[in-house]
Amino acid sequence: MSIDDKNVILEIDGLQTYFYSSEGVAKAVDGASFSLSKGKVLGVVGESGCGKSVTAQSVMRLVPSPPGKIVGGRIMFDGKDLTKLSMAEMRHVRGDRISMIFQEPMTSLNPVFTIGDQLSEMFMLHRGMSRKDALDASVEMLARVQIPAPRARAREYPHQLSGGMRQRAMIAMALSCEPEILIADEPTTALDVTVQAQILDLIIKLKEDFGTAVEMITHDLGVIAETADSVVVMYAGRVVEQADTVELFENTLHPYTRGLLDSTPILGRRTAGKFEKLNEIKGMVPSLYSLPKGCKFQERCPKAMPICSEREPQLTEINDSHAVRCWLHIPH
Amino acid sequence: MGPRERPQFTTMASYILRRVLQGLLVLLAVSFVCFCLFRYTGDPVLMLAGKYATQEEREMVRHAYGLDQPTHIQYIKFLGGALKGEFGKSYVSQVDALDTILERFPATFELALVAILISFAVGVGMGIVVSIWPKGCVSRILMSGSLLGISIPTFLTGILLVMLCSVYLEILPAFGRGDTVQLGPWRTGLLTLDGLKHIILPALTLSSYQLAVMMRLTRAGMREVMGEEYIKTAWAKGLSPAKVILKHALRNVLIPVVTIAGLSFGELIAFSIVTETIFQWPGMGNLLLTSIFETDQPIIVTYIMLTSCIILFINILVDLLYAVLNPKIRYN
């Protein structure tokens, strides 16, 4: 891969996060490996349940436990394995050095505290500021995410802000301590289409300003095309394809990635006179409790071969900016 | 924010006004019931003039108390008196009924206050413990204990406490209010050590049910709130468990708990009859019971009217408190 080792800031290596329930063990993440480079945007794509959010929660050590548990692998950050840190040590990483924004700006801010209170908390906690200084810093931060009349807004409660404004406030909060990594878990999914682009532009602009690396989790390849430098495609808790963004779109190898691309609606296709149905990936995401032997995608794969149900392929480098986990492209 | 605040204030004021008007309607209904009780349960003349009065004496009494006038005139007079706080004199002691009750009010109020404080503080505290360590030994004991608290009737709790603390251990007095201090019109037992010792057992008895309710309410609330997105955000900020639980979660949990606490405070004031009787507590409940035995109707009627007022007043107060705790209510 083209990743210069010096620039790697976060390296996930063979991560396994399992959930234990009465129905059995759900291997939500099973041997996922990828890395994040300084100041770059890494897109992580996949359908719901593919393990992309659980991977992010594992990095933050926010996997609800029980039932969830990180059972294997390493998450290397700044020379330390995050999976080995104590909760007290982890608290200095969270928010300060790695921070996270969530999908639902409606519910991810506490409804009973003002925006200013919730932002100030970051400065008081990680920067040891006084309440007054922290509030000033918060107002400044709100201005940086282009919230109009930031001082008045700081006094308001979350429900008084629109969805887009709330997500801006969340971004302000996440970036307030200038973290090295920002994990954005579907940051635009719950927003109006018109607001989505603004929020993405804002994240990219602030990323440049702060030099933050971004892990952009999404199911929307459009978001990836707009923002990401490189992409990781996940399926059933594994990385199935990994490439630089341009390479991925121009030279799509994995049938699952192909399926995701083909099922993205293209504006104007129907009005052009061709009443094609939207392509979809047939079948459903398999239950994590009963994954097939061999390649996990074989049952839905239009190009499945006999070997696919026998042995699981490994993630294999095709060229220095592209790796894929598929027997079509791996000699066997 | 100046121009925005005015309409919000108006909404709040009109809301309170509406509640007060509703309250007045309820009071009117209560007064009618009281009047009927007063007028039609037994012949008040018989009560007033005595069994052995002659017909002439009875007519004199009937006339003197206006009992010979048409019913609606009597009701209007009753209402007029009630508005001025005149409910007539006790049949037994020939002292003004309202004065008699108000003299007993501080004792009942203090008992209810201490009881509600105990059940709120201890109940919420235990509720938090139980929700954080649901499988711990202490939690299991507390949860079973709360079932006892809910299901054991007050008189039994009282008698058991007296047996344990007064008879066997001999550490706390079993009856009476102890030494009191007169503060203006208010006679308090909370400022003397003896008074405090005396209030412990009755307050514990009175609080046992509410305590169990608050604990279960807090536990249910905590379980719900701890799964909310904004709690995930709070963890992701790097906050300590104490901050996440006692600040971010508890503030949201307390909204319904405070409401219940407020409402039950009114009930405790009005219905502490059993507890007051067990502990010979010189409060309104004790007085009511005696008055029922003696068919002292002015006292009974005054008691009902007064406690209705108190409960309505507390309900409105709780509404206001609810608005303070919940910013959404404040502005909508």
Side-chain angles (χ1 to χ4, degrees), chain A residues 27 30 235-240 254 286-287 290-301 304-315 325-328 330:
Chain A
K27 298 177 178 176
D30 200 9
Y235 188 80
R238 290 152 177 77
V239 175
V240 293
H254 201 286
S287 160
S290 57
L291 287 174
K293 189 170 170 272
C295 174
K296 308 307 170 204
F297 186 60
Q298 48 159 307
E299 289 167 336
R300 304 171 71 191
C301 184
M305 302 178 292
I307 191 176
C308 299
S309 55
E310 287 161 21
R311 280 194 289 145
E312 183 170 15
Q314 294 305 306
L315 192 65
R325 188 193 284 269
C326 181
W327 286 122
L328 286 174
I330 303 172

Side-chain angles (χ1 to χ4, degrees), chain B residues 60-232:
Chain B
M60 265 173 61
V61 168
R62 200 180 293 278
H63 187 72
Y65 282 81
L67 294 170
D68 52 350
Q69 286 168 326
T71 313
H72 63 277
I73 302 280
Q74 284 189 44
Y75 180 55
I76 290 169
K77 280 196 166 175
F78 171 79
L79 271 186
L83 279 179
K84 284 182 272 176
E86 289 164 9
F87 293 92
K89 287 177 179 169
S90 159
Y91 292 163
V92 179
S93 61
Q94 293 300 323
V95 177
D96 186 77
L98 189 63
D99 288 346
T100 312
I101 292 185
L102 285 181
E103 198 189 307
R104 302 284 200 112
F105 179 72
T108 300
F109 182 83
E110 286 179 358
L111 178 61
L113 186 71
V114 173
I116 205 75
L117 288 180
I118 291 177
S119 49
F120 185 75
V122 182
V124 169
M126 289 201 229
I128 294 172
V129 169
V130 170
S131 64
I132 297 175
W133 298 285
K135 296 207 168 120
C137 183
V138 176
S139 299
R140 283 169 199 271
I141 294 173
L142 288 180
M143 282 309 285
S144 327
S146 77
L147 274 183
L148 287 182
I150 286 177
S151 46
I152 294 184
T154 317
F155 68 87
L156 192 59
T157 318
I159 292 170
L160 289 176
L161 279 175
V162 167
M163 268 177 59
L164 181 71
C165 300
S166 310
V167 180
Y168 288 124
L169 300 176
E170 293 180 33
I171 43 172
L172 290 169
F175 62 87
R177 208 181 164 201
D179 297 338
T180 54
V181 179
Q182 188 80 29
L183 283 179
W186 192 277
R187 179 169 284 279
T188 177
L190 295 180
L191 293 178
T192 63
L193 188 65
D194 191 48
L196 287 176
K197 270 186 180 171
H198 277 80
I199 208 168
I200 293 176
L201 285 187
L204 273 180
T205 307
L206 194 57
S207 68
S208 62
Y209 175 80
Q210 294 302 338
L211 196 154
V213 170
M214 304 255 171
M215 172 180 145
R216 292 188 153 252
L217 208 62
T218 306
R219 169 176 169 267
M222 284 298 280
R223 289 179 115 185
E224 194 188 314
V225 168
M226 288 308 278
E228 293 283 349
E229 285 284 305
Y230 54 78
I231 295 300
K232 230 196 269 174

Side-chain angles (χ1 to χ4, degrees), chain A residues 45-188:
Chain A
V45 223
E47 290 165 284
S48 334
C50 71
K52 54 194 196 297
S53 292
V54 176
T55 307
Q57 286 172 16
S58 303
V59 172
M60 294 294 276
R61 296 277 301 280
L62 286 176
V63 178
S65 164
K69 194 167 187 251
I70 299 173
V71 293
R74 296 184 309 163
I75 300 170
M76 297 306 293
F77 170 70
D78 193 21
K80 277 175 287 193
D81 184 356
L82 293 184
T83 64
K84 301 272 188 302
L85 290 191
S86 72
M87 277 302 153
E89 289 169 312
M90 200 57 217
R91 283 207 295 277
H92 294 292
V93 175
R94 285 183 197 147
D96 191 11
R97 307 192 60 190
I98 306 180
S99 63
M100 190 162 178
I101 51 180
F102 299 96
Q103 178 174 347
E104 268 295 339
M106 299 294 164
T107 51
S108 48
L109 288 163
N110 197 327
V112 299
F113 296 104
T114 62
I115 301 292
D117 272 348
Q118 297 187 53
L119 254 98
S120 301
E121 218 171 26
M122 293 291 275
F123 293 107
M124 297 195 302
L125 179 70
H126 296 297
R127 294 284 174 269
M129 287 189 190
S130 70
R131 184 170 290 273
K132 201 188 154 293
D133 291 348
L135 189 66
D136 289 341
S138 305
V139 171
E140 202 176 298
M141 207 55 218
L142 288 175
R144 287 194 79 159
V145 295
Q146 295 149 23
I147 289 183
R151 197 159 281 278
R153 289 296 182 180
R155 279 197 297 267
E156 295 190 339
Y157 290 90
H159 70 272
Q160 292 169 279
L161 272 59
S162 68
M165 283 299 157
R166 271 182 243 194
Q167 197 61 299
R168 282 170 195 270
M170 270 303 287
I171 292 168
M173 193 156 84
L175 293 179
S176 54
C177 293
E178 306 191 14
E180 286 134 279
I181 300 171
L182 172 70
I183 301 174
D185 190 355
E186 307 252 6
T188 57

